[in-house]
PDB file of all heavy atoms in Angstrom:
ATOM      1  N   ALA N 723     162.073 -41.101  -4.238  1.00 73.00           N
ATOM      2  CA  ALA N 723     161.028 -40.123  -4.568  1.00 73.00           C
ATOM      3  C   ALA N 723     161.085 -39.022  -3.525  1.00 73.00           C
ATOM      4  O   ALA N 723     160.122 -38.755  -2.812  1.00 73.00           O
ATOM      5  CB  ALA N 723     159.656 -40.789  -4.586  1.00 73.00           C
ATOM      6  N   GLU N 724     162.260 -38.395  -3.437  1.00 68.00           N
ATOM      7  CA  GLU N 724     162.486 -37.416  -2.379  1.00 68.00           C
ATOM      8  C   GLU N 724     161.547 -36.219  -2.486  1.00 68.00           C
ATOM      9  O   GLU N 724     161.240 -35.569  -1.503  1.00 68.00           O
ATOM     10  CB  GLU N 724     163.942 -36.933  -2.417  1.00 68.00           C
ATOM     11  CG  GLU N 724     164.969 -38.039  -2.209  1.00 68.00           C
ATOM     12  CD  GLU N 724     164.916 -38.622  -0.805  1.00 68.00           C
ATOM     13  OE1 GLU N 724     164.476 -37.912   0.104  1.00 68.00           O
ATOM     14  OE2 GLU N 724     165.307 -39.774  -0.637  1.00 68.00           O
ATOM     15  N   GLU N 725     161.089 -35.898  -3.707  1.00 78.00           N
ATOM     16  CA  GLU N 725     160.260 -34.714  -3.902  1.00 78.00           C
ATOM     17  C   GLU N 725     158.772 -35.029  -3.924  1.00 78.00           C
ATOM     18  O   GLU N 725     157.964 -34.139  -4.174  1.00 78.00           O
ATOM     19  CB  GLU N 725     160.654 -34.011  -5.202  1.00 78.00           C
ATOM     20  CG  GLU N 725     162.102 -33.516  -5.210  1.00 78.00           C
ATOM     21  CD  GLU N 725     162.441 -32.814  -6.508  1.00 78.00           C
ATOM     22  OE1 GLU N 725     161.603 -32.853  -7.431  1.00 78.00           O
ATOM     23  OE2 GLU N 725     163.526 -32.235  -6.601  1.00 78.00           O
ATOM     24  N   ALA N 726     158.378 -36.271  -3.700  1.00 86.00           N
ATOM     25  CA  ALA N 726     156.966 -36.643  -3.794  1.00 86.00           C
ATOM     26  C   ALA N 726     156.144 -35.951  -2.712  1.00 86.00           C
ATOM     27  O   ALA N 726     156.525 -35.916  -1.549  1.00 86.00           O
ATOM     28  CB  ALA N 726     156.814 -38.150  -3.681  1.00 86.00           C
ATOM     29  N   SER N 727     155.005 -35.394  -3.112  1.00 89.00           N
ATOM     30  CA  SER N 727     154.079 -34.787  -2.155  1.00 89.00           C
ATOM     31  C   SER N 727     152.835 -35.645  -1.961  1.00 89.00           C
ATOM     32  O   SER N 727     152.203 -35.598  -0.913  1.00 89.00           O
ATOM     33  CB  SER N 727     153.676 -33.384  -2.618  1.00 89.00           C
ATOM     34  OG  SER N 727     153.091 -33.421  -3.904  1.00 89.00           O
ATOM     35  N   CYS N 728     152.459 -36.426  -2.980  1.00 91.00           N
ATOM     36  CA  CYS N 728     151.362 -37.378  -2.859  1.00 91.00           C
ATOM     37  C   CYS N 728     151.468 -38.393  -3.987  1.00 91.00           C
ATOM     38  O   CYS N 728     152.045 -38.114  -5.048  1.00 91.00           O
ATOM     39  CB  CYS N 728     149.988 -36.694  -2.863  1.00 91.00           C
ATOM     40  SG  CYS N 728     149.717 -35.554  -4.223  1.00 91.00           S
ATOM     41  N   VAL N 729     150.915 -39.588  -3.765  1.00 93.00           N
ATOM     42  CA  VAL N 729     150.952 -40.652  -4.760  1.00 93.00           C
ATOM     43  C   VAL N 729     149.613 -41.381  -4.748  1.00 93.00           C
ATOM     44  O   VAL N 729     148.814 -41.236  -3.821  1.00 93.00           O
ATOM     45  CB  VAL N 729     152.076 -41.674  -4.480  1.00 93.00           C
ATOM     46  CG1 VAL N 729     153.434 -41.012  -4.440  1.00 93.00           C
ATOM     47  CG2 VAL N 729     151.810 -42.450  -3.202  1.00 93.00           C
ATOM     48  N   CYS N 730     149.390 -42.187  -5.777  1.00 93.00           N
ATOM     49  CA  CYS N 730     148.268 -43.126  -5.784  1.00 93.00           C
ATOM     50  C   CYS N 730     148.577 -44.239  -6.761  1.00 93.00           C
ATOM     51  O   CYS N 730     149.395 -44.082  -7.673  1.00 93.00           O
ATOM     52  CB  CYS N 730     146.944 -42.445  -6.127  1.00 93.00           C
ATOM     53  SG  CYS N 730     146.723 -42.074  -7.874  1.00 93.00           S
ATOM     54  N   SER N 731     147.928 -45.378  -6.573  1.00 92.00           N
ATOM     55  CA  SER N 731     148.074 -46.482  -7.506  1.00 92.00           C
ATOM     56  C   SER N 731     147.406 -46.117  -8.829  1.00 92.00           C
ATOM     57  O   SER N 731     146.324 -45.502  -8.849  1.00 92.00           O
ATOM     58  CB  SER N 731     147.425 -47.742  -6.921  1.00 92.00           C
ATOM     59  OG  SER N 731     147.381 -48.766  -7.883  1.00 92.00           O
ATOM     60  N   PHE N 732     148.062 -46.476  -9.939  1.00 92.00           N
ATOM     61  CA  PHE N 732     147.465 -46.194 -11.253  1.00 92.00           C
ATOM     62  C   PHE N 732     147.810 -47.332 -12.207  1.00 92.00           C
ATOM     63  O   PHE N 732     148.719 -47.244 -13.025  1.00 92.00           O
ATOM     64  CB  PHE N 732     147.953 -44.854 -11.791  1.00 92.00           C
ATOM     65  CG  PHE N 732     147.227 -44.401 -13.032  1.00 92.00           C
ATOM     66  CD1 PHE N 732     145.851 -44.434 -13.088  1.00 92.00           C
ATOM     67  CD2 PHE N 732     147.919 -43.967 -14.139  1.00 92.00           C
ATOM     68  CE1 PHE N 732     145.169 -44.032 -14.233  1.00 92.00           C
ATOM     69  CE2 PHE N 732     147.259 -43.554 -15.296  1.00 92.00           C
ATOM     70  CZ  PHE N 732     145.881 -43.587 -15.330  1.00 92.00           C
ATOM     71  N   ASP N 733     147.069 -48.425 -12.074  1.00 90.00           N
ATOM     72  CA  ASP N 733     147.290 -49.630 -12.877  1.00 90.00           C
ATOM     73  C   ASP N 733     146.533 -49.498 -14.194  1.00 90.00           C
ATOM     74  O   ASP N 733     145.470 -50.078 -14.386  1.00 90.00           O
ATOM     75  CB  ASP N 733     146.820 -50.851 -12.090  1.00 90.00           C
ATOM     76  CG  ASP N 733     147.068 -52.153 -12.840  1.00 90.00           C
ATOM     77  OD1 ASP N 733     147.954 -52.171 -13.715  1.00 90.00           O
ATOM     78  OD2 ASP N 733     146.361 -53.144 -12.570  1.00 90.00           O
ATOM     79  N   CYS N 734     147.098 -48.706 -15.104  1.00 90.00           N
ATOM     80  CA  CYS N 734     146.420 -48.483 -16.383  1.00 90.00           C
ATOM     81  C   CYS N 734     146.975 -49.443 -17.434  1.00 90.00           C
ATOM     82  O   CYS N 734     147.996 -50.095 -17.249  1.00 90.00           O
ATOM     83  CB  CYS N 734     146.579 -47.034 -16.840  1.00 90.00           C
ATOM     84  SG  CYS N 734     148.277 -46.539 -17.150  1.00 90.00           S
ATOM     85  N   GLU N 735     146.294 -49.524 -18.577  1.00 89.00           N
ATOM     86  CA  GLU N 735     146.668 -50.476 -19.619  1.00 89.00           C
ATOM     87  C   GLU N 735     148.033 -50.163 -20.206  1.00 89.00           C
ATOM     88  O   GLU N 735     148.833 -51.066 -20.483  1.00 89.00           O
ATOM     89  CB  GLU N 735     145.604 -50.465 -20.727  1.00 89.00           C
ATOM     90  CG  GLU N 735     145.836 -51.509 -21.808  1.00 89.00           C
ATOM     91  CD  GLU N 735     144.725 -51.544 -22.845  1.00 89.00           C
ATOM     92  OE1 GLU N 735     143.705 -50.841 -22.633  1.00 89.00           O
ATOM     93  OE2 GLU N 735     144.872 -52.248 -23.853  1.00 89.00           O
ATOM     94  N   ALA N 736     148.335 -48.886 -20.392  1.00 88.00           N
ATOM     95  CA  ALA N 736     149.610 -48.502 -20.999  1.00 88.00           C
ATOM     96  C   ALA N 736     150.759 -48.660 -20.010  1.00 88.00           C
ATOM     97  O   ALA N 736     151.897 -48.920 -20.425  1.00 88.00           O
ATOM     98  CB  ALA N 736     149.539 -47.060 -21.498  1.00 88.00           C
ATOM     99  N   TYR N 737     150.479 -48.497 -18.702  1.00 89.00           N
ATOM    100  CA  TYR N 737     151.526 -48.589 -17.684  1.00 89.00           C
ATOM    101  C   TYR N 737     151.051 -49.511 -16.564  1.00 89.00           C
ATOM    102  O   TYR N 737     150.731 -49.050 -15.466  1.00 89.00           O
ATOM    103  CB  TYR N 737     151.863 -47.210 -17.117  1.00 89.00           C
ATOM    104  CG  TYR N 737     152.193 -46.181 -18.165  1.00 89.00           C
ATOM    105  CD1 TYR N 737     151.293 -45.167 -18.485  1.00 89.00           C
ATOM    106  CD2 TYR N 737     153.410 -46.223 -18.847  1.00 89.00           C
ATOM    107  CE1 TYR N 737     151.601 -44.218 -19.454  1.00 89.00           C
ATOM    108  CE2 TYR N 737     153.722 -45.278 -19.817  1.00 89.00           C
ATOM    109  CZ  TYR N 737     152.810 -44.281 -20.109  1.00 89.00           C
ATOM    110  OH  TYR N 737     153.103 -43.351 -21.061  1.00 89.00           O
ATOM    111  N   PRO N 738     150.993 -50.810 -16.820  1.00 89.00           N
ATOM    112  CA  PRO N 738     150.485 -51.726 -15.779  1.00 89.00           C
ATOM    113  C   PRO N 738     151.371 -51.706 -14.539  1.00 89.00           C
ATOM    114  O   PRO N 738     152.594 -51.686 -14.621  1.00 89.00           O
ATOM    115  CB  PRO N 738     150.526 -53.098 -16.478  1.00 89.00           C
ATOM    116  CG  PRO N 738     151.458 -52.940 -17.637  1.00 89.00           C
ATOM    117  CD  PRO N 738     151.364 -51.514 -18.059  1.00 89.00           C
ATOM    118  N   GLY N 739     150.709 -51.697 -13.384  1.00 87.00           N
ATOM    119  CA  GLY N 739     151.432 -51.702 -12.128  1.00 87.00           C
ATOM    120  C   GLY N 739     152.072 -50.388 -11.763  1.00 87.00           C
ATOM    121  O   GLY N 739     152.879 -50.333 -10.831  1.00 87.00           O
ATOM    122  N   ALA N 740     151.718 -49.303 -12.460  1.00 90.00           N
ATOM    123  CA  ALA N 740     152.362 -48.012 -12.232  1.00 90.00           C
ATOM    124  C   ALA N 740     151.716 -47.282 -11.063  1.00 90.00           C
ATOM    125  O   ALA N 740     150.673 -47.676 -10.528  1.00 90.00           O
ATOM    126  CB  ALA N 740     152.293 -47.153 -13.490  1.00 90.00           C
ATOM    127  N   ILE N 741     152.361 -46.194 -10.649  1.00 91.00           N
ATOM    128  CA  ILE N 741     151.798 -45.283  -9.675  1.00 91.00           C
ATOM    129  C   ILE N 741     151.891 -43.865 -10.245  1.00 91.00           C
ATOM    130  O   ILE N 741     152.724 -43.585 -11.120  1.00 91.00           O
ATOM    131  CB  ILE N 741     152.521 -45.348  -8.311  1.00 91.00           C
ATOM    132  CG1 ILE N 741     153.985 -44.908  -8.445  1.00 91.00           C
ATOM    133  CG2 ILE N 741     152.421 -46.725  -7.705  1.00 91.00           C
ATOM    134  CD1 ILE N 741     154.705 -44.757  -7.125  1.00 91.00           C
ATOM    135  N   ALA N 742     151.024 -42.997  -9.783  1.00 91.00           N
ATOM    136  CA  ALA N 742     151.101 -41.572 -10.128  1.00 91.00           C
ATOM    137  C   ALA N 742     151.764 -40.850  -8.969  1.00 91.00           C
ATOM    138  O   ALA N 742     151.447 -41.104  -7.796  1.00 91.00           O
ATOM    139  CB  ALA N 742     149.698 -41.011 -10.387  1.00 91.00           C
ATOM    140  N   VAL N 743     152.690 -39.964  -9.294  1.00 92.00           N
ATOM    141  CA  VAL N 743     153.466 -39.251  -8.284  1.00 92.00           C
ATOM    142  C   VAL N 743     153.376 -37.754  -8.552  1.00 92.00           C
ATOM    143  O   VAL N 743     153.665 -37.302  -9.671  1.00 92.00           O
ATOM    144  CB  VAL N 743     154.946 -39.685  -8.290  1.00 92.00           C
ATOM    145  CG1 VAL N 743     155.720 -38.946  -7.203  1.00 92.00           C
ATOM    146  CG2 VAL N 743     155.069 -41.185  -8.114  1.00 92.00           C
ATOM    147  N   ALA N 744     152.959 -37.004  -7.554  1.00 91.00           N
ATOM    148  CA  ALA N 744     152.924 -35.543  -7.666  1.00 91.00           C
ATOM    149  C   ALA N 744     154.078 -34.969  -6.863  1.00 91.00           C
ATOM    150  O   ALA N 744     154.333 -35.383  -5.737  1.00 91.00           O
ATOM    151  CB  ALA N 744     151.601 -34.994  -7.148  1.00 91.00           C
ATOM    152  N   THR N 745     154.791 -34.028  -7.466  1.00 88.00           N
ATOM    153  CA  THR N 745     155.850 -33.294  -6.769  1.00 88.00           C
ATOM    154  C   THR N 745     155.420 -31.843  -6.646  1.00 88.00           C
ATOM    155  O   THR N 745     154.303 -31.470  -7.043  1.00 88.00           O
ATOM    156  CB  THR N 745     157.183 -33.396  -7.531  1.00 88.00           C
ATOM    157  OG1 THR N 745     157.101 -32.630  -8.740  1.00 88.00           O
ATOM    158  CG2 THR N 745     157.511 -34.838  -7.874  1.00 88.00           C
ATOM    159  N   SER N 746     156.289 -31.013  -6.131  1.00 85.00           N
ATOM    160  CA  SER N 746     155.968 -29.593  -5.996  1.00 85.00           C
ATOM    161  C   SER N 746     155.904 -28.896  -7.346  1.00 85.00           C
ATOM    162  O   SER N 746     155.410 -27.776  -7.439  1.00 85.00           O
ATOM    163  CB  SER N 746     157.006 -28.906  -5.112  1.00 85.00           C
ATOM    164  OG  SER N 746     158.299 -29.056  -5.689  1.00 85.00           O
TER     165      SER N 746
END
Side-chain angles (χ1 to χ4, degrees):
E724 299 293 335
E725 298 181 352
S727 58
C728 51
V729 302
C730 77
S731 171
F732 189 48
D733 182 23
C734 63
E735 185 176 353
Y737 307 106
I741 63 172
V743 181
T745 70
S746 59

